[in-house]
PDB file of all heavy atoms in Angstrom:
ATOM      1  N   TRP A  24     111.678 107.930 122.054  1.00 96.00           N
ATOM      2  CA  TRP A  24     110.916 108.893 122.906  1.00 96.00           C
ATOM      3  C   TRP A  24     109.917 109.612 122.092  1.00 96.00           C
ATOM      4  O   TRP A  24     108.737 109.666 122.450  1.00 96.00           O
ATOM      5  CB  TRP A  24     112.006 109.827 123.458  1.00 96.00           C
ATOM      6  CG  TRP A  24     111.517 111.021 124.293  1.00 96.00           C
ATOM      7  CD1 TRP A  24     110.223 111.382 124.507  1.00 96.00           C
ATOM      8  CD2 TRP A  24     112.317 111.948 124.923  1.00 96.00           C
ATOM      9  NE1 TRP A  24     110.103 112.531 125.211  1.00 96.00           N
ATOM     10  CE2 TRP A  24     111.430 112.939 125.607  1.00 96.00           C
ATOM     11  CE3 TRP A  24     113.714 112.132 125.139  1.00 96.00           C
ATOM     12  CZ2 TRP A  24     111.848 113.912 126.348  1.00 96.00           C
ATOM     13  CZ3 TRP A  24     114.086 113.234 125.902  1.00 96.00           C
ATOM     14  CH2 TRP A  24     113.262 114.066 126.505  1.00 96.00           C
ATOM     15  N   ARG A  25     110.322 110.085 120.895  1.00 96.00           N
ATOM     16  CA  ARG A  25     109.385 110.868 120.017  1.00 96.00           C
ATOM     17  C   ARG A  25     108.307 110.008 119.380  1.00 96.00           C
ATOM     18  O   ARG A  25     107.206 110.517 119.186  1.00 96.00           O
ATOM     19  CB  ARG A  25     110.223 111.594 118.955  1.00 96.00           C
ATOM     20  CG  ARG A  25     111.171 112.660 119.480  1.00 96.00           C
ATOM     21  CD  ARG A  25     111.964 113.267 118.366  1.00 96.00           C
ATOM     22  NE  ARG A  25     111.069 113.853 117.380  1.00 96.00           N
ATOM     23  CZ  ARG A  25     111.438 114.479 116.255  1.00 96.00           C
ATOM     24  NH1 ARG A  25     112.731 114.499 115.953  1.00 96.00           N
ATOM     25  NH2 ARG A  25     110.589 115.051 115.470  1.00 96.00           N
ATOM     26  N   THR A  26     108.605 108.767 119.090  1.00 95.00           N
ATOM     27  CA  THR A  26     107.643 107.941 118.261  1.00 95.00           C
ATOM     28  C   THR A  26     106.851 106.922 119.073  1.00 95.00           C
ATOM     29  O   THR A  26     105.798 106.464 118.660  1.00 95.00           O
ATOM     30  CB  THR A  26     108.298 107.310 117.074  1.00 95.00           C
ATOM     31  OG1 THR A  26     109.370 106.354 117.685  1.00 95.00           O
ATOM     32  CG2 THR A  26     109.030 108.297 116.200  1.00 95.00           C
ATOM     33  N   GLN A  27     107.380 106.508 120.272  1.00 96.00           N
ATOM     34  CA  GLN A  27     106.774 105.342 120.915  1.00 96.00           C
ATOM     35  C   GLN A  27     106.114 105.716 122.230  1.00 96.00           C
ATOM     36  O   GLN A  27     105.179 105.016 122.748  1.00 96.00           O
ATOM     37  CB  GLN A  27     107.823 104.280 121.208  1.00 96.00           C
ATOM     38  CG  GLN A  27     108.449 103.675 119.909  1.00 96.00           C
ATOM     39  CD  GLN A  27     109.481 102.630 120.157  1.00 96.00           C
ATOM     40  OE1 GLN A  27     110.136 102.637 121.202  1.00 96.00           O
ATOM     41  NE2 GLN A  27     109.782 101.783 119.247  1.00 96.00           N
ATOM     42  N   ALA A  28     106.649 106.828 122.968  1.00 95.00           N
ATOM     43  CA  ALA A  28     106.148 107.077 124.262  1.00 95.00           C
ATOM     44  C   ALA A  28     104.589 107.319 124.300  1.00 95.00           C
ATOM     45  O   ALA A  28     103.950 106.965 125.224  1.00 95.00           O
ATOM     46  CB  ALA A  28     106.835 108.381 124.794  1.00 95.00           C
ATOM     47  N   VAL A  29     104.060 107.950 123.213  1.00 94.00           N
ATOM     48  CA  VAL A  29     102.616 108.300 123.179  1.00 94.00           C
ATOM     49  C   VAL A  29     101.797 107.063 123.057  1.00 94.00           C
ATOM     50  O   VAL A  29     100.622 107.117 123.328  1.00 94.00           O
ATOM     51  CB  VAL A  29     102.361 109.272 122.019  1.00 94.00           C
ATOM     52  CG1 VAL A  29     103.030 110.593 122.186  1.00 94.00           C
ATOM     53  CG2 VAL A  29     102.725 108.635 120.697  1.00 94.00           C
ATOM     54  N   LYS A  30     102.343 105.945 122.652  1.00 93.00           N
ATOM     55  CA  LYS A  30     101.531 104.719 122.548  1.00 93.00           C
ATOM     56  C   LYS A  30     101.482 103.924 123.863  1.00 93.00           C
ATOM     57  O   LYS A  30     100.660 103.022 124.011  1.00 93.00           O
ATOM     58  CB  LYS A  30     102.249 103.778 121.526  1.00 93.00           C
ATOM     59  CG  LYS A  30     102.354 104.485 120.156  1.00 93.00           C
ATOM     60  CD  LYS A  30     103.094 103.556 119.226  1.00 93.00           C
ATOM     61  CE  LYS A  30     103.292 104.225 117.792  1.00 93.00           C
ATOM     62  NZ  LYS A  30     104.073 103.370 116.886  1.00 93.00           N
ATOM     63  N   TRP A  31     102.304 104.237 124.888  1.00 94.00           N
ATOM     64  CA  TRP A  31     102.247 103.586 126.121  1.00 94.00           C
ATOM     65  C   TRP A  31     100.979 104.102 126.926  1.00 94.00           C
ATOM     66  O   TRP A  31     100.546 105.169 126.797  1.00 94.00           O
ATOM     67  CB  TRP A  31     103.469 103.918 126.936  1.00 94.00           C
ATOM     68  CG  TRP A  31     103.717 103.037 128.098  1.00 94.00           C
ATOM     69  CD1 TRP A  31     103.753 103.284 129.439  1.00 94.00           C
ATOM     70  CD2 TRP A  31     104.146 101.666 127.999  1.00 94.00           C
ATOM     71  NE1 TRP A  31     104.013 102.217 130.126  1.00 94.00           N
ATOM     72  CE2 TRP A  31     104.280 101.162 129.377  1.00 94.00           C
ATOM     73  CE3 TRP A  31     104.318 100.709 126.905  1.00 94.00           C
ATOM     74  CZ2 TRP A  31     104.585  99.824 129.617  1.00 94.00           C
ATOM     75  CZ3 TRP A  31     104.631  99.409 127.216  1.00 94.00           C
ATOM     76  CH2 TRP A  31     104.791  98.961 128.563  1.00 94.00           C
ATOM     77  N   THR A  32     100.443 103.182 127.747  1.00 90.00           N
ATOM     78  CA  THR A  32      99.208 103.473 128.461  1.00 90.00           C
ATOM     79  C   THR A  32      99.392 104.689 129.319  1.00 90.00           C
ATOM     80  O   THR A  32      98.591 105.608 129.356  1.00 90.00           O
ATOM     81  CB  THR A  32      98.819 102.227 129.351  1.00 90.00           C
ATOM     82  OG1 THR A  32      98.690 101.101 128.572  1.00 90.00           O
ATOM     83  CG2 THR A  32      97.555 102.551 130.107  1.00 90.00           C
ATOM     84  N   ASP A  33     100.460 104.760 130.085  1.00 90.00           N
ATOM     85  CA  ASP A  33     100.828 105.979 130.890  1.00 90.00           C
ATOM     86  C   ASP A  33     101.822 106.700 129.989  1.00 90.00           C
ATOM     87  O   ASP A  33     102.999 106.413 130.058  1.00 90.00           O
ATOM     88  CB  ASP A  33     101.416 105.613 132.237  1.00 90.00           C
ATOM     89  CG  ASP A  33     101.741 106.783 133.132  1.00 90.00           C
ATOM     90  OD1 ASP A  33     101.829 107.860 132.545  1.00 90.00           O
ATOM     91  OD2 ASP A  33     101.939 106.607 134.327  1.00 90.00           O
ATOM     92  N   ARG A  34     101.343 107.739 129.369  1.00 89.00           N
ATOM     93  CA  ARG A  34     102.205 108.419 128.394  1.00 89.00           C
ATOM     94  C   ARG A  34     103.414 109.137 129.064  1.00 89.00           C
ATOM     95  O   ARG A  34     104.433 109.256 128.431  1.00 89.00           O
ATOM     96  CB  ARG A  34     101.390 109.491 127.615  1.00 89.00           C
ATOM     97  CG  ARG A  34     100.312 108.846 126.660  1.00 89.00           C
ATOM     98  CD  ARG A  34      99.746 109.896 125.775  1.00 89.00           C
ATOM     99  NE  ARG A  34      98.747 109.276 124.871  1.00 89.00           N
ATOM    100  CZ  ARG A  34      98.094 109.932 123.899  1.00 89.00           C
ATOM    101  NH1 ARG A  34      98.274 111.204 123.748  1.00 89.00           N
ATOM    102  NH2 ARG A  34      97.228 109.279 123.105  1.00 89.00           N
ATOM    103  N   ASN A  35     103.122 109.578 130.296  1.00 92.00           N
ATOM    104  CA  ASN A  35     104.239 110.254 130.959  1.00 92.00           C
ATOM    105  C   ASN A  35     105.375 109.235 131.284  1.00 92.00           C
ATOM    106  O   ASN A  35     106.533 109.421 131.001  1.00 92.00           O
ATOM    107  CB  ASN A  35     103.753 110.875 132.266  1.00 92.00           C
ATOM    108  CG  ASN A  35     102.907 112.075 131.990  1.00 92.00           C
ATOM    109  OD1 ASN A  35     103.061 112.770 131.033  1.00 92.00           O
ATOM    110  ND2 ASN A  35     101.850 112.213 132.901  1.00 92.00           N
ATOM    111  N   LEU A  36     104.991 108.096 131.854  1.00 94.00           N
ATOM    112  CA  LEU A  36     105.974 107.104 132.130  1.00 94.00           C
ATOM    113  C   LEU A  36     106.580 106.486 130.870  1.00 94.00           C
ATOM    114  O   LEU A  36     107.796 106.057 130.807  1.00 94.00           O
ATOM    115  CB  LEU A  36     105.389 105.957 132.988  1.00 94.00           C
ATOM    116  CG  LEU A  36     106.360 104.887 133.503  1.00 94.00           C
ATOM    117  CD1 LEU A  36     107.442 105.544 134.370  1.00 94.00           C
ATOM    118  CD2 LEU A  36     105.594 103.874 134.353  1.00 94.00           C
ATOM    119  N   GLY A  37     105.813 106.547 129.797  1.00 95.00           N
ATOM    120  CA  GLY A  37     106.296 106.007 128.492  1.00 95.00           C
ATOM    121  C   GLY A  37     107.513 106.817 128.022  1.00 95.00           C
ATOM    122  O   GLY A  37     108.336 106.268 127.316  1.00 95.00           O
ATOM    123  N   ILE A  38     107.549 108.124 128.384  1.00 97.00           N
ATOM    124  CA  ILE A  38     108.740 108.913 127.922  1.00 97.00           C
ATOM    125  C   ILE A  38     110.071 108.319 128.539  1.00 97.00           C
ATOM    126  O   ILE A  38     111.000 108.145 127.831  1.00 97.00           O
ATOM    127  CB  ILE A  38     108.558 110.343 128.502  1.00 97.00           C
ATOM    128  CG1 ILE A  38     107.415 111.040 127.764  1.00 97.00           C
ATOM    129  CG2 ILE A  38     109.873 111.146 128.329  1.00 97.00           C
ATOM    130  CD1 ILE A  38     107.033 112.417 128.244  1.00 97.00           C
ATOM    131  N   VAL A  39     110.011 107.991 129.840  1.00 97.00           N
ATOM    132  CA  VAL A  39     111.198 107.357 130.472  1.00 97.00           C
ATOM    133  C   VAL A  39     111.467 105.990 129.928  1.00 97.00           C
ATOM    134  O   VAL A  39     112.665 105.715 129.629  1.00 97.00           O
ATOM    135  CB  VAL A  39     110.960 107.266 131.984  1.00 97.00           C
ATOM    136  CG1 VAL A  39     112.033 106.464 132.708  1.00 97.00           C
ATOM    137  CG2 VAL A  39     110.880 108.744 132.573  1.00 97.00           C
ATOM    138  N   LEU A  40     110.461 105.142 129.822  1.00 97.00           N
ATOM    139  CA  LEU A  40     110.731 103.794 129.314  1.00 97.00           C
ATOM    140  C   LEU A  40     111.138 103.731 127.894  1.00 97.00           C
ATOM    141  O   LEU A  40     112.059 102.984 127.528  1.00 97.00           O
ATOM    142  CB  LEU A  40     109.352 102.955 129.435  1.00 97.00           C
ATOM    143  CG  LEU A  40     108.882 102.791 130.922  1.00 97.00           C
ATOM    144  CD1 LEU A  40     107.650 101.925 130.987  1.00 97.00           C
ATOM    145  CD2 LEU A  40     109.907 102.178 131.814  1.00 97.00           C
ATOM    146  N   ALA A  41     110.571 104.580 126.979  1.00 97.00           N
ATOM    147  CA  ALA A  41     110.946 104.546 125.638  1.00 97.00           C
ATOM    148  C   ALA A  41     112.373 105.053 125.442  1.00 97.00           C
ATOM    149  O   ALA A  41     113.147 104.474 124.706  1.00 97.00           O
ATOM    150  CB  ALA A  41     110.028 105.497 124.828  1.00 97.00           C
ATOM    151  N   SER A  42     112.755 106.139 126.193  1.00 97.00           N
ATOM    152  CA  SER A  42     114.093 106.602 126.084  1.00 97.00           C
ATOM    153  C   SER A  42     115.040 105.634 126.604  1.00 97.00           C
ATOM    154  O   SER A  42     116.118 105.380 126.042  1.00 97.00           O
ATOM    155  CB  SER A  42     114.192 107.947 126.804  1.00 97.00           C
ATOM    156  OG  SER A  42     115.519 108.474 126.802  1.00 97.00           O
ATOM    157  N   GLY A  43     114.796 105.032 127.850  1.00 97.00           N
ATOM    158  CA  GLY A  43     115.572 104.032 128.337  1.00 97.00           C
ATOM    159  C   GLY A  43     115.803 102.799 127.499  1.00 97.00           C
ATOM    160  O   GLY A  43     116.986 102.284 127.340  1.00 97.00           O
ATOM    161  N   ALA A  44     114.746 102.317 126.874  1.00 97.00           N
ATOM    162  CA  ALA A  44     114.852 101.242 125.949  1.00 97.00           C
ATOM    163  C   ALA A  44     115.666 101.546 124.725  1.00 97.00           C
ATOM    164  O   ALA A  44     116.549 100.757 124.278  1.00 97.00           O
ATOM    165  CB  ALA A  44     113.447 100.766 125.536  1.00 97.00           C
ATOM    166  N   GLY A  45     115.494 102.679 124.202  1.00 97.00           N
ATOM    167  CA  GLY A  45     116.283 103.186 123.005  1.00 97.00           C
ATOM    168  C   GLY A  45     117.716 103.265 123.394  1.00 97.00           C
ATOM    169  O   GLY A  45     118.561 102.951 122.568  1.00 97.00           O
ATOM    170  N   ALA A  46     117.973 103.837 124.539  1.00 97.00           N
ATOM    171  CA  ALA A  46     119.407 104.076 124.963  1.00 97.00           C
ATOM    172  C   ALA A  46     120.116 102.747 125.200  1.00 97.00           C
ATOM    173  O   ALA A  46     121.332 102.639 124.977  1.00 97.00           O
ATOM    174  CB  ALA A  46     119.408 104.916 126.267  1.00 97.00           C
ATOM    175  N   LEU A  47     119.338 101.707 125.619  1.00 96.00           N
ATOM    176  CA  LEU A  47     119.927 100.334 125.878  1.00 96.00           C
ATOM    177  C   LEU A  47     120.084  99.531 124.636  1.00 96.00           C
ATOM    178  O   LEU A  47     120.811  98.600 124.513  1.00 96.00           O
ATOM    179  CB  LEU A  47     119.100  99.608 126.869  1.00 96.00           C
ATOM    180  CG  LEU A  47     119.249 100.060 128.340  1.00 96.00           C
ATOM    181  CD1 LEU A  47     118.186  99.426 129.152  1.00 96.00           C
ATOM    182  CD2 LEU A  47     120.644  99.676 128.861  1.00 96.00           C
ATOM    183  N   GLY A  48     119.221  99.844 123.599  1.00 96.00           N
ATOM    184  CA  GLY A  48     119.150  99.003 122.408  1.00 96.00           C
ATOM    185  C   GLY A  48     118.375  97.700 122.711  1.00 96.00           C
ATOM    186  O   GLY A  48     118.805  96.648 122.196  1.00 96.00           O
ATOM    187  N   VAL A  49     117.347  97.801 123.547  1.00 96.00           N
ATOM    188  CA  VAL A  49     116.610  96.592 123.889  1.00 96.00           C
ATOM    189  C   VAL A  49     115.097  96.862 123.591  1.00 96.00           C
ATOM    190  O   VAL A  49     114.610  98.010 123.635  1.00 96.00           O
ATOM    191  CB  VAL A  49     116.777  96.252 125.418  1.00 96.00           C
ATOM    192  CG1 VAL A  49     116.205  97.375 126.289  1.00 96.00           C
ATOM    193  CG2 VAL A  49     116.171  94.897 125.719  1.00 96.00           C
ATOM    194  N   ARG A  50     114.330  95.821 123.370  1.00 95.00           N
ATOM    195  CA  ARG A  50     112.897  95.862 123.132  1.00 95.00           C
ATOM    196  C   ARG A  50     112.180  95.615 124.413  1.00 95.00           C
ATOM    197  O   ARG A  50     112.289  94.509 124.997  1.00 95.00           O
ATOM    198  CB  ARG A  50     112.455  94.927 122.020  1.00 95.00           C
ATOM    199  CG  ARG A  50     113.111  95.186 120.687  1.00 95.00           C
ATOM    200  CD  ARG A  50     112.835  93.999 119.711  1.00 95.00           C
ATOM    201  NE  ARG A  50     111.402  93.808 119.497  1.00 95.00           N
ATOM    202  CZ  ARG A  50     110.926  92.647 119.045  1.00 95.00           C
ATOM    203  NH1 ARG A  50     111.684  91.593 118.831  1.00 95.00           N
ATOM    204  NH2 ARG A  50     109.591  92.550 118.866  1.00 95.00           N
ATOM    205  N   LEU A  51     111.387  96.537 124.879  1.00 95.00           N
ATOM    206  CA  LEU A  51     110.539  96.428 126.027  1.00 95.00           C
ATOM    207  C   LEU A  51     109.076  96.548 125.578  1.00 95.00           C
ATOM    208  O   LEU A  51     108.789  96.638 124.434  1.00 95.00           O
ATOM    209  CB  LEU A  51     110.840  97.567 127.038  1.00 95.00           C
ATOM    210  CG  LEU A  51     112.350  97.616 127.504  1.00 95.00           C
ATOM    211  CD1 LEU A  51     112.535  98.746 128.499  1.00 95.00           C
ATOM    212  CD2 LEU A  51     112.770  96.304 128.176  1.00 95.00           C
ATOM    213  N   GLY A  52     108.167  96.530 126.624  1.00 92.00           N
ATOM    214  CA  GLY A  52     106.793  96.524 126.280  1.00 92.00           C
ATOM    215  C   GLY A  52     106.359  95.210 125.683  1.00 92.00           C
ATOM    216  O   GLY A  52     106.764  94.213 126.111  1.00 92.00           O
ATOM    217  N   MET A  53     105.563  95.308 124.603  1.00 89.00           N
ATOM    218  CA  MET A  53     105.034  94.154 123.903  1.00 89.00           C
ATOM    219  C   MET A  53     103.991  93.430 124.645  1.00 89.00           C
ATOM    220  O   MET A  53     104.003  93.417 125.846  1.00 89.00           O
ATOM    221  CB  MET A  53     106.199  93.254 123.419  1.00 89.00           C
ATOM    222  CG  MET A  53     107.131  93.962 122.462  1.00 89.00           C
ATOM    223  SD  MET A  53     108.399  92.906 121.695  1.00 89.00           S
ATOM    224  CE  MET A  53     109.390  92.540 123.159  1.00 89.00           C
ATOM    225  N   PRO A  54     103.056  92.724 123.938  1.00 86.00           N
ATOM    226  CA  PRO A  54     101.981  92.008 124.568  1.00 86.00           C
ATOM    227  C   PRO A  54     102.479  90.892 125.520  1.00 86.00           C
ATOM    228  O   PRO A  54     103.502  90.234 125.264  1.00 86.00           O
ATOM    229  CB  PRO A  54     101.168  91.397 123.390  1.00 86.00           C
ATOM    230  CG  PRO A  54     101.493  92.318 122.265  1.00 86.00           C
ATOM    231  CD  PRO A  54     102.948  92.763 122.478  1.00 86.00           C
ATOM    232  N   LEU A  55     101.661  90.693 126.599  1.00 84.00           N
ATOM    233  CA  LEU A  55     101.976  89.651 127.570  1.00 84.00           C
ATOM    234  C   LEU A  55     100.712  88.910 127.860  1.00 84.00           C
ATOM    235  O   LEU A  55      99.638  89.490 127.820  1.00 84.00           O
ATOM    236  CB  LEU A  55     102.515  90.179 128.812  1.00 84.00           C
ATOM    237  CG  LEU A  55     103.961  90.805 128.908  1.00 84.00           C
ATOM    238  CD1 LEU A  55     104.177  91.476 130.249  1.00 84.00           C
ATOM    239  CD2 LEU A  55     104.965  89.677 128.636  1.00 84.00           C
ATOM    240  N   ALA A  56     100.840  87.606 128.090  1.00 72.00           N
ATOM    241  CA  ALA A  56      99.651  86.774 128.480  1.00 72.00           C
ATOM    242  C   ALA A  56      99.405  86.937 129.965  1.00 72.00           C
ATOM    243  O   ALA A  56     100.417  86.816 130.746  1.00 72.00           O
ATOM    244  CB  ALA A  56      99.905  85.311 128.123  1.00 72.00           C
ATOM    245  N   GLY A  57      98.219  87.301 130.381  1.00 61.00           N
ATOM    246  CA  GLY A  57      97.850  87.449 131.756  1.00 61.00           C
ATOM    247  C   GLY A  57      97.765  86.091 132.488  1.00 61.00           C
ATOM    248  O   GLY A  57      97.829  85.053 131.823  1.00 61.00           O
ATOM    249  N   ALA A  58      97.569  86.203 133.836  1.00 57.00           N
ATOM    250  CA  ALA A  58      97.496  84.970 134.619  1.00 57.00           C
ATOM    251  C   ALA A  58      96.276  84.072 134.268  1.00 57.00           C
ATOM    252  O   ALA A  58      96.331  82.890 134.320  1.00 57.00           O
ATOM    253  CB  ALA A  58      97.490  85.375 136.130  1.00 57.00           C
ATOM    254  N   SER A  59      95.169  84.766 133.773  1.00 57.00           N
ATOM    255  CA  SER A  59      93.979  84.012 133.461  1.00 57.00           C
ATOM    256  C   SER A  59      93.919  83.785 131.917  1.00 57.00           C
ATOM    257  O   SER A  59      92.926  83.283 131.469  1.00 57.00           O
ATOM    258  CB  SER A  59      92.751  84.822 133.880  1.00 57.00           C
ATOM    259  OG  SER A  59      92.795  86.085 133.320  1.00 57.00           O
ATOM    260  N   GLY A  60      95.011  84.033 131.230  1.00 58.00           N
ATOM    261  CA  GLY A  60      95.031  83.762 129.858  1.00 58.00           C
ATOM    262  C   GLY A  60      94.775  84.883 128.904  1.00 58.00           C
ATOM    263  O   GLY A  60      94.971  84.813 127.663  1.00 58.00           O
ATOM    264  N   GLU A  61      94.238  85.984 129.410  1.00 66.00           N
ATOM    265  CA  GLU A  61      93.962  87.117 128.550  1.00 66.00           C
ATOM    266  C   GLU A  61      95.282  87.842 128.109  1.00 66.00           C
ATOM    267  O   GLU A  61      96.213  87.711 128.917  1.00 66.00           O
ATOM    268  CB  GLU A  61      93.040  88.143 129.239  1.00 66.00           C
ATOM    269  CG  GLU A  61      93.665  88.985 130.331  1.00 66.00           C
ATOM    270  CD  GLU A  61      93.887  88.357 131.638  1.00 66.00           C
ATOM    271  OE1 GLU A  61      93.561  87.061 131.751  1.00 66.00           O
ATOM    272  OE2 GLU A  61      94.369  88.918 132.621  1.00 66.00           O
ATOM    273  N   ILE A  62      95.240  88.526 127.065  1.00 72.00           N
ATOM    274  CA  ILE A  62      96.444  89.150 126.516  1.00 72.00           C
ATOM    275  C   ILE A  62      96.421  90.663 126.943  1.00 72.00           C
ATOM    276  O   ILE A  62      95.498  91.397 126.708  1.00 72.00           O
ATOM    277  CB  ILE A  62      96.515  89.074 124.963  1.00 72.00           C
ATOM    278  CG1 ILE A  62      96.535  87.557 124.520  1.00 72.00           C
ATOM    279  CG2 ILE A  62      97.721  89.780 124.444  1.00 72.00           C
ATOM    280  CD1 ILE A  62      97.730  86.818 125.015  1.00 72.00           C
ATOM    281  N   ASP A  63      97.562  91.024 127.599  1.00 77.00           N
ATOM    282  CA  ASP A  63      97.775  92.434 127.914  1.00 77.00           C
ATOM    283  C   ASP A  63      98.473  93.035 126.694  1.00 77.00           C
ATOM    284  O   ASP A  63      99.624  92.895 126.501  1.00 77.00           O
ATOM    285  CB  ASP A  63      98.644  92.567 129.165  1.00 77.00           C
ATOM    286  CG  ASP A  63      98.791  94.005 129.612  1.00 77.00           C
ATOM    287  OD1 ASP A  63      98.229  94.882 128.985  1.00 77.00           O
ATOM    288  OD2 ASP A  63      99.575  94.201 130.576  1.00 77.00           O
ATOM    289  N   ASP A  64      97.700  93.834 125.925  1.00 82.00           N
ATOM    290  CA  ASP A  64      98.108  94.357 124.639  1.00 82.00           C
ATOM    291  C   ASP A  64      98.949  95.614 124.901  1.00 82.00           C
ATOM    292  O   ASP A  64      98.471  96.719 124.726  1.00 82.00           O
ATOM    293  CB  ASP A  64      96.917  94.654 123.743  1.00 82.00           C
ATOM    294  CG  ASP A  64      97.388  94.968 122.296  1.00 82.00           C
ATOM    295  OD1 ASP A  64      98.570  94.628 121.950  1.00 82.00           O
ATOM    296  OD2 ASP A  64      96.586  95.575 121.547  1.00 82.00           O
ATOM    297  N   ARG A  65     100.261  95.446 125.174  1.00 90.00           N
ATOM    298  CA  ARG A  65     101.079  96.564 125.528  1.00 90.00           C
ATOM    299  C   ARG A  65     101.837  97.053 124.223  1.00 90.00           C
ATOM    300  O   ARG A  65     102.183  96.190 123.442  1.00 90.00           O
ATOM    301  CB  ARG A  65     102.126  96.206 126.591  1.00 90.00           C
ATOM    302  CG  ARG A  65     101.378  95.590 127.804  1.00 90.00           C
ATOM    303  CD  ARG A  65     102.331  95.267 128.941  1.00 90.00           C
ATOM    304  NE  ARG A  65     103.626  94.805 128.433  1.00 90.00           N
ATOM    305  CZ  ARG A  65     104.828  94.976 129.100  1.00 90.00           C
ATOM    306  NH1 ARG A  65     104.761  95.717 130.194  1.00 90.00           N
ATOM    307  NH2 ARG A  65     105.925  94.474 128.661  1.00 90.00           N
ATOM    308  N   ALA A  66     102.055  98.311 124.129  1.00 93.00           N
ATOM    309  CA  ALA A  66     102.848  98.772 122.969  1.00 93.00           C
ATOM    310  C   ALA A  66     104.285  98.396 123.065  1.00 93.00           C
ATOM    311  O   ALA A  66     104.867  98.119 124.159  1.00 93.00           O
ATOM    312  CB  ALA A  66     102.804 100.315 122.982  1.00 93.00           C
ATOM    313  N   GLU A  67     104.993  98.316 121.956  1.00 94.00           N
ATOM    314  CA  GLU A  67     106.404  98.027 121.850  1.00 94.00           C
ATOM    315  C   GLU A  67     107.203  99.229 122.087  1.00 94.00           C
ATOM    316  O   GLU A  67     106.971 100.301 121.528  1.00 94.00           O
ATOM    317  CB  GLU A  67     106.747  97.365 120.569  1.00 94.00           C
ATOM    318  CG  GLU A  67     108.233  96.956 120.467  1.00 94.00           C
ATOM    319  CD  GLU A  67     108.525  96.193 119.225  1.00 94.00           C
ATOM    320  OE1 GLU A  67     107.622  95.583 118.663  1.00 94.00           O
ATOM    321  OE2 GLU A  67     109.706  96.212 118.713  1.00 94.00           O
ATOM    322  N   LEU A  68     108.247  99.112 122.935  1.00 95.00           N
ATOM    323  CA  LEU A  68     109.169 100.236 123.172  1.00 95.00           C
ATOM    324  C   LEU A  68     110.549  99.804 122.818  1.00 95.00           C
ATOM    325  O   LEU A  68     110.910  98.639 123.161  1.00 95.00           O
ATOM    326  CB  LEU A  68     109.079 100.650 124.672  1.00 95.00           C
ATOM    327  CG  LEU A  68     107.751 101.113 125.160  1.00 95.00           C
ATOM    328  CD1 LEU A  68     107.815 101.415 126.747  1.00 95.00           C
ATOM    329  CD2 LEU A  68     107.199 102.358 124.458  1.00 95.00           C
ATOM    330  N   GLY A  69     111.364 100.760 122.358  1.00 94.00           N
ATOM    331  CA  GLY A  69     112.760 100.471 122.085  1.00 94.00           C
ATOM    332  C   GLY A  69     113.021  99.766 120.777  1.00 94.00           C
ATOM    333  O   GLY A  69     112.132  99.476 119.996  1.00 94.00           O
ATOM    334  N   LEU A  70     114.313  99.511 120.543  1.00 93.00           N
ATOM    335  CA  LEU A  70     114.776  98.974 119.255  1.00 93.00           C
ATOM    336  C   LEU A  70     115.856  97.919 119.644  1.00 93.00           C
ATOM    337  O   LEU A  70     116.577  98.035 120.686  1.00 93.00           O
ATOM    338  CB  LEU A  70     115.340  99.991 118.350  1.00 93.00           C
ATOM    339  CG  LEU A  70     114.448 101.145 117.975  1.00 93.00           C
ATOM    340  CD1 LEU A  70     115.283 102.230 117.246  1.00 93.00           C
ATOM    341  CD2 LEU A  70     113.337 100.661 116.961  1.00 93.00           C
ATOM    342  N   GLY A  71     116.032  96.944 118.796  1.00 90.00           N
ATOM    343  CA  GLY A  71     117.127  96.065 118.961  1.00 90.00           C
ATOM    344  C   GLY A  71     116.717  94.662 119.356  1.00 90.00           C
ATOM    345  O   GLY A  71     115.782  94.116 118.935  1.00 90.00           O
TER     346      GLY A  71
END
């Protein structure tokens, strides 16, 4: 929550996602390849 939420595009929603990912011990976020091949450069959330 303290270190990763601010890196999310929507910083407010990043608070919930970062805390939830840390609570679960799972890695969320991270880059994804779009439908047309471009890379959606998303921040990494969570640990584990």
Side-chain angles (χ1 to χ4, degrees):
W24 175 355
R25 294 180 59 186
T26 61
Q27 298 177 339
V29 295
K30 301 176 184 178
W31 197 247
T32 304
D33 182 343
R34 293 187 178 185
N35 291 327
L36 188 57
I38 292 172
V39 170
L40 297 181
S42 177
L47 285 169
V49 66
R50 295 169 62 202
L51 302 178
M53 297 187 289
L55 287 173
S59 59
E61 76 280 4
I62 300 298
D63 185 0
D64 190 19
R65 309 182 324 147
E67 182 174 335
L68 301 174
L70 302 167

